[in-house]
Amino acid sequence: MKRIWILLVISLVGVGLFTACSSNADTMVQPSPSPSVSPSASPMATATDSPAPSTAPTATDREANGTSAGVNTVEDAQRVSDQVSEEVEKLSELKSAEAVVMGTIAVVGVEYDAQYQGGLTDRLKEMITDRVQAVDKSIVTVHVKDGEADYQKLMELREKLSNQDLTFEQLQTQVLNLAGNDQDTTVG
């Protein structure tokens, strides 16, 4: 008998939680009536009364507006490169990371933590790619570099980017040169 009461209480709590979740979702879907609704209109607003606001333009929206997806200015390149560098550095396997983003390409140079002995594995490349994508979904190709020379070139390029000592075309050329070898991951 005691087991039945316990199951009954658990069932009621579960039903209460599901009811609360579904009623909260219902109120979030319906847009509030706008002040411009005429008195003769229906007092209840429906989903077709007004378009739902978009939080960010999609790649299709950007292409329709004449701009392509990805990073297209030196200022955007600096901002997104900073964000990507910070996000990738959070990986415990890495001591530091330098990233430069241009268009839909990111080049990430990494220095390993002293305790990490694995080198550039597919697993680590995938984790880095996931971090880059978390910052900007428009990045299609991620090139990961773990050589000292590439890391130094990325640091120099990041400094030029910070000082705005190069045009976007120069940035494109340098990023494509750095991305030149086959250690890359293309995101589907």
Side-chain angles (χ1 to χ4, degrees):
M1 187 69 174
K2 187 176 181 181
R3 190 185 317 182
I4 292 174
W5 283 104
I6 292 173
L7 290 174
L8 180 64
V9 169
I10 291 173
S11 297
L12 289 174
V13 169
V15 168
L17 288 173
F18 288 124
T19 304
C21 290
S22 67
S23 66
N24 187 20
D26 291 342
T27 60
M28 292 171 53
V29 170
Q30 291 181 341
S32 61
S34 65
S36 62
V37 174
S38 66
S40 63
S42 160
M44 187 69 161
T46 64
T48 58
D49 287 343
S50 62
S54 173
T55 56
T58 63
T60 307
D61 294 336
R62 284 181 251 161
E63 288 168 6
N65 293 334
T67 60
S68 63
V71 176
N72 295 314
T73 65
V74 173
E75 293 80 17
D76 284 345
Q78 179 183 358
R79 179 183 49 80
V80 175
S81 297
D82 288 344
Q83 292 171 344
V84 167
S85 295
E86 289 174 15
E87 186 64 29
V88 171
E89 273 185 358
K90 293 177 183 176
L91 292 170
S92 62
E93 294 84 354
L94 303 179
K95 178 173 119 182
S96 63
E98 292 289 336
V100 177
V101 178
M102 178 276 311
T104 59
I105 300 171
V107 181
V108 181
V110 296
E111 284 186 329
Y112 301 113
D113 185 76
Q115 296 177 355
Y116 179 69
Q117 302 297 320
L120 190 57
T121 63
D122 288 339
R123 179 183 153 277
L124 184 58
K125 282 196 257 185
E126 184 178 328
M127 290 182 345
I128 292 169
T129 300
D130 289 345
R131 297 280 176 134
V132 171
Q133 280 251 286
V135 172
D136 190 336
K137 298 280 187 216
S138 69
I139 297 172
V140 177
T141 305
V142 177
H143 298 273
V144 181
K145 309 290 183 175
D146 66 345
E148 183 64 33
D150 288 330
Y151 190 82
Q152 289 300 321
K153 288 178 187 174
L154 278 165
M155 284 179 54
E156 291 168 9
L157 186 54
R158 285 286 306 268
E159 188 172 329
K160 287 181 184 177
L161 192 58
S162 295
N163 297 334
Q164 295 185 352
D165 287 342
L166 70 164
T167 66
F168 191 74
E169 290 77 24
Q170 292 169 327
L171 176 65
Q172 284 178 316
T173 301
Q174 292 190 23
V175 167
L176 292 173
N177 286 339
L178 280 169
N181 72 25
D182 60 347
Q183 291 183 354
D184 65 298
T185 304
T186 301
V187 180

